[in-house]
Amino acid sequence: MIIGVTGGIGSGKSTVASRLGKLLSALVLNADDICRELLEPGGEGYTRFVRSGGERFLDGGGAIDRRRLREEMFRNAALKELLESILHPLVFKKITETAEQNPQTAIIAEVPLLFESGRYQLFDIVISVFSPRERVLERVVERDKVCPEAVLEIIAAQMPPEEKNRRADYVIENGFDLQETEKQLAALAAKLRQRISG
Ligand code: ATP
């Protein structure tokens, strides 16, 4: 069974995916980590991106300057589309292969762009992690040492969290303390165990 965890920036996706992973003894994958690996020199994504015009993002050592790429992607829709057209199929292939190789284990995949990618059919269950905007701002500013304006700019470019909640099978309300989130996760894990064994 493949369980997708999605949500906006700083909503608590990693927190929820790792804690739920422990409760379900699941394998936890992270789409951002997979992308990072794919874009390392020699990786499948690296080769395709460099061949499709990505050479200008190579640093002196031949690696992709991910920071420069991320910054330009934010302002260049064609570049974002190119990169996503290369990476999304490879990310979903990796998730599917991992599930096939581990048929007895639940897979939890943290995928920020789960709905935007149009591949949500791949997931048996989708969980949206929600935190109110003011909590997201506090937490991301603290975690990443960035200014609130930078976070607001990213939030404005993302699918509204309420839309993700509406489309998901389950919503975790992560605007409170971690104890409260743990409580919700314990209840959700009990339901999911039934679905996994049934
Ligand atoms: P990103 O979109 O940047 O990948 P994310 O959605 O994976 O972020 P997390 O990294 O899990 O979000 O959480 C963002 C920050 O908020 C982290 O520093 C995390 O420790 C903290 N955090 C998450 N949930 C809570 C909570 N319920 N109470 C307090 N802090 C929390």
Side-chain angles (χ1 to χ4, degrees), residues 88-129:
H88 283 175
L90 296 174
V91 168
F92 290 107
K93 187 171 95 174
K94 171 82 182 173
I95 295 171
T96 314
E97 280 173 1
T98 306
E100 283 165 3
Q101 287 158 6
N102 298 277
Q104 305 302 329
T105 313
I107 307 291
I108 296 182
E110 179 187 341
V111 184
L113 300 181
L114 187 147
F115 291 120
E116 295 85 335
S117 67
R119 309 284 172 109
Y120 49 84
Q121 301 90 338
L122 174 74
F123 300 89
D124 299 295
I125 291 164
V126 176
I127 300 165
S128 172
V129 184

Side-chain angles (χ1 to χ4, degrees), residues 22-37:
K22 288 207 183 91
L23 289 170
L24 293 176
S25 306
L27 255 172
V28 181
L29 300 176
N30 178 321
D32 288 340
D33 291 345
I34 299 174
C35 287
R36 204 165 301 132
E37 278 168 30

Side-chain angles (χ1 to χ4, degrees), residues 39-41 45-46 48-83 86:
L39 287 177
E40 275 167 13
Y46 174 95
R48 292 196 200 176
F49 180 58
V50 171
R51 270 202 219 122
S52 321
E55 304 96 321
R56 65 197 173 92
F57 291 100
L58 296 184
D59 64 18
I64 293 173
D65 182 342
R66 286 172 39 86
R67 193 189 158 145
R68 199 152 63 80
L69 180 60
R70 203 171 38 240
E71 282 169 7
E72 184 162 335
M73 241 172 60
F74 204 66
R75 281 160 191 88
N76 181 340
L79 176 66
K80 181 166 181 276
E81 221 169 278
L82 168 70
L83 203 63
I86 293 171

Side-chain angles (χ1 to χ4, degrees), residues 8-15 110 139 143 174 176-178 181:
I9 177 175
S11 55
K13 299 178 293 297
S14 299
T15 304
E110 179 187 341
R139 290 174 185 165
R143 185 193 62 184
N174 188 40
F176 311 100
D177 61 20
L178 285 171
T181 299

Side-chain angles (χ1 to χ4, degrees), residues 5-19 30 32 110 112 129 131 135-136 138-144 154 158 173-182:
V5 174
T6 194
I9 177 175
S11 55
K13 299 178 293 297
S14 299
T15 304
V16 162
S18 74
R19 284 163 192 254
N30 178 321
D32 288 340
E110 179 187 341
V129 184
S131 296
R135 270 309 85 66
V136 170
E138 279 166 20
R139 290 174 185 165
V140 178
V141 164
E142 161 80 18
R143 185 193 62 184
D144 298 345
I154 295 172
Q158 293 187 331
E173 298 274 357
N174 188 40
F176 311 100
D177 61 20
L178 285 171
Q179 240 179 330
E180 165 57 30
T181 299
E182 284 287 5

